[in-house]
């Protein structure tokens, strides 16, 4: 992740540890907040996370893009499975 953002290919172990701690703390905090929101309805959903990041437009846009890609892949897999079933019946 750090190299992808322009850091040295071999960063210091201390730097890697610090960045990992920051990321884990952020994700854990976000998950706990989403769980608090979801507990009011009785279950945790994607919308709970989207609600939490609604004011951070780059993160929100990236999440929406990834969710859209996930749906496209799901549809493509479904179409592929149907085609396999048709081929199996033709043989």
């Amino acid at each position: 992740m750090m190299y992808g953002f322009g850091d040295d290919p071999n960063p210091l172990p201390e730097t890697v540890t610090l960045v990992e701690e920051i990321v884990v703390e952020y994700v854990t905090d976000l998950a706990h907040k989403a769980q608090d929101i979801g507990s009011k309805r009785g279950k945790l959903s994607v919308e709970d996370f989207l609600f939490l990041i609604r004011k951070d437009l780059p993160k929100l846009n990236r999440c929406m893009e990834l969710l859209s890609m996930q749906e496209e892949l799901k549809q493509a897999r479904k179409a592929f499975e149907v085609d396999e079933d048709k081929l199996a019946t033709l043989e």
Side-chain angles (χ1 to χ4, degrees), residues 58-71:
K59 285 181 192 166
L60 182 62
N61 289 336
R62 181 65 174 150
C63 285
M64 297 303 288
E65 179 184 353
L66 290 172
L67 288 170
S68 173
M69 279 193 277
Q70 179 186 15
E71 189 60 35

Side-chain angles (χ1 to χ4, degrees), residues 72-91:
E72 288 178 26
L73 287 171
K74 190 185 301 183
Q75 295 298 326
R77 285 188 192 110
K78 188 175 180 180
F80 185 71
E81 289 173 3
V82 171
D83 290 343
E84 281 184 349
D85 292 340
K86 287 180 183 177
L87 287 175
T89 58
L90 292 175
E91 295 176 350

Side-chain angles (χ1 to χ4, degrees), residues 8-24:
D8 189 71
N10 298 312
L12 294 173
E14 295 85 8
T15 307
V16 173
T17 302
L18 177 65
V19 170
E20 180 182 8
E21 288 174 4
I22 292 169
V23 170
V24 167

Side-chain angles (χ1 to χ4, degrees), residues 17-65:
T17 302
L18 177 65
V19 170
E20 180 182 8
E21 288 174 4
I22 292 169
V23 170
V24 167
E25 182 180 337
Y26 174 77
V27 170
T28 303
D29 185 49
L30 190 69
H32 286 164
K33 288 179 182 177
Q35 188 175 17
D36 290 342
I37 293 170
S39 67
K40 295 174 186 172
R41 287 190 321 273
K43 67 177 190 172
L44 185 63
S45 70
V46 173
E47 287 76 23
D48 299 329
F49 289 96
L50 295 176
F51 176 77
L52 287 172
I53 62 170
R54 70 190 181 281
K55 294 181 182 177
D56 190 347
L57 289 181
K59 285 181 192 166
L60 182 62
N61 289 336
R62 181 65 174 150
C63 285
M64 297 303 288
E65 179 184 353

